[in-house]
């Protein structure tokens, strides 16, 4: 499935994103008011600096004694101390407010992300969800920690400084407002271009990440089918698109700054001109005109900061919309308490002798192109069934339907209890080995963990780790081999103890020696369970109670190894080809 065909996860609209922010802040109104009040007080005190400097100018112009400067200089020191302390406290409160709200969003996002229907995640591609979990969360977090407090401070400074200009003389305020039309036009011009640009950037980054994951994760398949050049070209194309969007963003930002400079110097010229005329006519003193010029000049940083922070704000809003889009999704059918959705497709079988019943099942990844066609299959309690067939026959798709990853497009899948799934792609979570096992059975005693490891033949190597079961494994920790990681997954299956288990080519990633060990581990893990095994190695099929052969999305043969071998059909051909390849490998040809 290409990036253009993927059904990306939803993105919230701008009104919904703003509403989500209000919902997150509503429980913390007291903290928000305290932060705003503290920041406003500190900013107001800081605005006394310009009149005090103007007063010093007047004292010097009047040739007053040097001792007359003592009081205003001491007041300047007090103002600086109070403003600095108040600003630090206000920024701290704003940061606390932002982090608290962000924590709420993270929890809601993670809760929804973990309950998304797996087929929806597959259709979107793991890159889309991964980019939201990583890049978008990071962007929003940085904005909360840096942009939000600074933006609040800048806006308060702008409003109070304009008020202070009006108190000096209303004509200074009018002069300062000369810059506003240019700034307002610049802001509107920027926002109209930045919002869609950053939204596009998020999408392009997500598709680029997905392509990289597809290429690297499927490197063996890419090499096997000699698709290196095609994948390299696709990676280059998506990377080029990401670079192009980034360059457009840089050009937009440079134009934005250039327009801001025009507004700044036009406004400063107007205030200086007004001050010259007012002093000339005796309406204000030189010190007052100086204070007005200093007030307007002090607006450069907060105005620029507020407008420049729109860059971070637009980027953060684009990321926030993607997070809210996932957070607003309804949970997967059956996840919500009392949710009966999907009951028909995956109903338990309290009165049925079958552990799994597949009836008239069809499935299509793309509408109109089914990969399964009216399948019927029954797995009896305790039966071990091997699913075999050529690549593309539909084996993995059927396994995913039985495991509950996909709902069928048509027909029903019913089970006699929970279904455990182990695939060839095993994730080892970062942390102590014991905690990785406890994910399958929280609160299990260490004796149960050791028993599960022993059952799948993994206890010896687990105890031989530097710190035994307390050894940190996964990313940044002790690296497990492919065989060890798969045995860990099988030990989780033992601990979870589902009545039905699905193994989808669970030994495919190991070498021949590791595969034999894993087959023994899988046999032990499946004891006492109904099992469906998507067999990568036909030795697993041979030992199964029954073999189901698939071809083109249909079940074409079913029976034991001996029965199908004698029948001379599809399975017999697969067995002969597999046996021949094994003989060649053993001979070293």
């Amino acid at each position: 499935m290409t990036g253009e065909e993927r059904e990306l996860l939803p993105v919230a609209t701008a009104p919904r994103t703003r509403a989500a922010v209000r919902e997150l802040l509503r429980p913390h109104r007291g903290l928000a008011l305290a932060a705003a009040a503290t920041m406003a007080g500190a900013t107001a005190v800081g605005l006394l600096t310009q009149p005090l400097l103007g007063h010093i100018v007047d004292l010097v112009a009047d040739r007053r004694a040097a001792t007359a400067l003592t009081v205003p200089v001491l007041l300047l020191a007090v103002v600086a101390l109070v403003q600095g302390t108040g600003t630090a406290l206000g920024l701290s409160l704003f940061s606390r407010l932002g982090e608290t709200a962000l924590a709420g969003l993270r929890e809601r996002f993670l809760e929804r992300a973990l309950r998304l229907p797996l087929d929806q995640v597959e259709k979107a591609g793991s890159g889309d969800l991964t980019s939201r979990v990583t890049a978008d969360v990071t962007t929003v977090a940085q904005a909360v920690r840096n942009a939000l407090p600074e933006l609040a401070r800048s806006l308060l400074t702008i409003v109070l400084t304009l008020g202070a200009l009006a108190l000096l003389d209303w004509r200074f305020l009018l002069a300062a407002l000369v810059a506003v039309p240019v700034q307002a036009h610049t802001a509107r011009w920027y926002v109209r271009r930045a919002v869609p640009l950053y939204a596009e950037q998020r999408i392009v980054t997500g598709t680029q990440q997905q392509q990289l994951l597809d290429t690297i994760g499927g490197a063996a398949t890419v090499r096997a089918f000699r698709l290196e050049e095609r994948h390299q070209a696709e990676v280059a194309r998506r990377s080029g698109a990401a670079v192009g969007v980034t360059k457009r963003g840089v050009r937009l930002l440079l134009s934005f700054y250039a327009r801001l400079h025009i507004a700044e110097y036009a406004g400063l010229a107007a205030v200086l001109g007004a001050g010259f005329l007012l002093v000339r006519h005796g309406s204000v003193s030189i010190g007052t005109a100086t204070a007005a010029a200093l007030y307007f000049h002090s607006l450069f940083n907060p105005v620029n900061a507020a407008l420049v922070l729109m860059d971070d704000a637009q980027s953060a809003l684009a990321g926030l919309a993607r997070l809210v889009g996932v957070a607003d999704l309804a949970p997967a059918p059956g996840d919500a308490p009392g949710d009966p959705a999907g009951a028909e497709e995956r109903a338990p079988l309290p009165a049925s002798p079958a552990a799994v019943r597949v009836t008239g099942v069809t499935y299509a990844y793309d509408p109109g192109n089914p990969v399964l066609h009216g399948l019927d299959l029954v797995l009896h309690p305790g039966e071990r069934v091997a699913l075999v067939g050529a690549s593309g026959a539909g084996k993995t798709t059927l396994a995913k339907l039985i495991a509950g990853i996909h709902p069928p497009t048509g027909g029903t899948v019913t089970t006699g209890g929970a279904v455990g799934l182990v695939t060839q792609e095993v994730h080892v979570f970062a942390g102590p080995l014991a905690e990785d096992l406890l994910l399958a059975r929280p609160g299990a005693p260490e004796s149960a963990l050791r028993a599960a490891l022993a059952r799948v033949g993994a206890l010896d190597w687990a105890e031989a780790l530097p710190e035994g079961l307390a050894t940190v494994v996964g990313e940044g920790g002790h690296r497990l081999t492919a065989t060890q990681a798969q045995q860990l997954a099988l030990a989780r299956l033992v601990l979870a103890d589902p009545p039905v288990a699905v193994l989808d080519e669970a030994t495919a990633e190991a070498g021949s020696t590791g595969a034999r060990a894993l087959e023994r581990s899988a046999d032990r893990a499946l004891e006492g369970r109904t099992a469906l095994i998507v067999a990568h190695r036909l030795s697993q099929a041979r030992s199964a109670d029954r073999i189901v052969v698939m071809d083109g999305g249909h079940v074409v043969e079913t029976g034991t190894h001996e029965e199908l071998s004698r029948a001379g059909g599809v399975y017999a051909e697969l067995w002969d080809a597999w046996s021949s390849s094994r003989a060649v490998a053993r001979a070293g040809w």
Side-chain angles (χ1 to χ4, degrees):
M1 184 179 293
T2 66
E4 289 77 12
E5 294 171 334
R6 292 192 182 276
E7 299 177 15
L8 298 180
L9 296 171
V11 177
T13 62
R16 173 58 198 142
T17 303
R18 291 192 293 269
V21 172
R22 290 194 294 271
E23 291 169 9
L24 290 169
L25 294 178
R26 191 173 296 121
H28 313 291
R29 284 174 292 193
L31 180 59
L33 289 174
T38 302
M39 190 66 76
T43 303
V45 170
L47 292 177
L48 295 174
T49 300
Q50 289 83 353
L52 286 171
L53 290 173
H55 179 58
I56 291 174
V57 170
D58 283 337
L59 291 176
V60 173
D62 293 341
R63 300 182 183 277
R64 301 285 295 275
T67 54
L69 301 178
T70 303
V71 173
V73 169
L74 289 175
L75 288 176
L76 283 173
V78 172
V79 166
L81 179 62
V82 173
Q83 182 189 19
T85 303
T87 299
L89 178 59
L91 290 174
S92 174
L93 292 174
F94 267 116
S95 296
R96 180 181 171 189
L97 173 65
E99 290 290 351
T100 304
L102 180 60
L105 176 62
R106 277 179 175 147
E107 291 173 3
R108 185 173 174 182
F109 173 84
L110 185 59
E111 177 188 3
R112 290 291 191 273
L114 291 175
R115 297 190 177 193
L116 285 177
L118 294 180
D119 64 321
Q120 186 175 13
V121 176
E122 284 198 351
K123 288 177 182 177
S126 56
D128 185 29
L129 186 59
T130 301
S131 66
R132 298 184 193 222
V133 173
T134 54
D136 291 328
V137 169
T138 300
T139 299
V140 174
Q142 288 175 344
V144 165
R145 292 174 187 139
N146 303 317
L148 176 63
E150 188 60 36
L151 182 60
R153 178 186 178 187
S154 298
L155 293 176
L156 278 170
T157 301
I158 292 168
V159 172
L160 294 177
T161 301
L162 291 176
L165 274 172
L167 288 176
L168 290 179
D169 191 290
W170 61 271
R171 287 164 287 194
F172 285 128
L173 177 60
L174 287 180
L177 294 179
V178 167
V180 172
V182 180
Q183 292 166 336
H185 178 269
T186 299
R188 287 195 301 270
W189 174 85
Y190 177 74
V191 169
R192 282 198 303 269
R193 288 159 177 77
V195 172
L197 179 62
Y198 284 115
E200 180 184 355
Q201 187 177 44
R202 294 292 177 215
I203 293 173
V204 168
T205 301
T207 55
Q208 179 196 28
Q209 189 166 4
Q210 180 61 46
Q211 184 61 49
L212 288 171
L213 288 172
D214 289 345
T215 300
I216 296 172
T221 303
V222 170
R223 289 195 299 269
F225 288 93
R226 297 180 179 178
L227 299 175
E228 293 93 340
E229 291 186 2
R230 176 179 171 183
H231 274 257
Q232 287 172 359
E234 193 65 19
V235 169
R237 184 176 72 84
R238 296 192 184 280
S239 298
V243 171
V245 172
T246 302
K247 290 169 74 174
R248 284 162 51 200
V250 171
R251 287 195 295 268
L252 178 65
L253 201 56
L254 291 175
S255 298
F256 178 61
Y257 281 121
R259 292 167 182 250
L260 286 184
H261 292 325
I262 294 173
E264 289 172 354
Y265 294 120
L268 182 58
V271 170
L272 290 174
F276 173 77
L277 294 175
L278 291 173
V279 171
R280 183 177 180 180
H281 290 89
S283 300
V284 298
S285 67
I286 296 175
T288 301
T290 300
L294 290 173
Y295 269 137
F296 188 82
H297 190 272
S298 70
L299 284 174
F300 281 19
N301 285 337
V303 169
N304 285 350
L307 294 177
V308 169
L309 284 173
M310 287 196 306
D311 183 64
D312 294 333
Q314 297 307 321
S315 182
L317 283 174
L320 186 61
R322 285 161 55 83
L323 297 179
V324 173
V326 172
D328 282 351
L329 284 174
D335 273 350
D339 183 4
E344 291 184 4
E345 290 77 7
R346 295 202 52 77
L349 293 172
S352 172
V356 176
R357 181 182 289 117
V358 177
T359 306
V361 162
T362 61
Y363 186 79
Y365 290 99
D366 299 316
N369 297 300
V371 294
L372 298 180
H373 308 271
L375 281 180
D376 294 315
L377 179 65
V378 174
L379 274 67
H380 299 287
E383 185 180 27
R384 194 172 298 185
V385 175
L387 205 58
V388 302
S391 178
K395 306 184 299 298
T396 293
T397 300
L398 178 58
K400 288 181 176 180
L401 264 63
I402 292 175
I405 292 179
H406 298 311
T409 305
T412 59
V413 176
T414 50
T415 64
V419 180
L421 172 67
V422 180
T423 71
Q424 62 181 335
E425 298 176 358
V426 176
H427 182 73
V428 178
F429 292 89
L433 179 65
E435 291 185 8
D436 204 302
L437 290 166
L438 287 171
L439 292 170
R441 185 176 158 192
E446 185 173 332
S447 58
L449 305 185
R450 292 180 176 278
L453 290 169
R455 182 166 172 177
V456 300
L459 185 58
D460 289 343
W461 65 254
E463 290 182 331
L465 293 175
E467 298 179 50
L469 271 63
T471 302
V472 174
V473 294
E475 186 175 353
H478 184 87
R479 186 178 180 85
L480 301 183
T481 67
T483 300
Q484 290 172 337
Q486 200 70 51
Q487 286 180 322
L488 182 60
L490 291 169
R492 290 192 203 125
L493 179 70
V494 172
L495 285 166
D497 199 23
V500 181
V502 175
L503 268 60
D504 183 6
E505 299 189 351
T507 66
E509 289 298 316
S512 57
T513 303
R516 288 192 290 273
L518 280 181
E519 286 177 11
R520 292 192 294 270
S521 299
D523 286 341
R524 297 289 303 279
L526 294 177
E527 288 177 0
R529 308 181 209 284
T530 304
L532 178 70
I533 304 169
V534 179
H536 174 72
R537 299 173 184 273
L538 292 188
S539 56
Q540 285 182 295
R542 182 174 187 173
S543 61
D545 299 322
R546 181 159 52 102
I547 300 170
V548 174
V549 184
M550 292 188 65
D551 186 30
H554 298 274
V555 172
V556 295
E557 291 181 343
T558 182
T560 65
H561 171 75
E562 289 74 16
E563 292 170 346
L564 295 179
S565 296
R566 288 194 301 268
V570 175
Y571 178 78
E573 293 178 2
L574 290 172
W575 177 260
D576 289 343
W578 187 76
S579 299
S580 298
S581 67
R582 296 289 295 165
V584 170
R586 284 195 297 270
W589 296 356

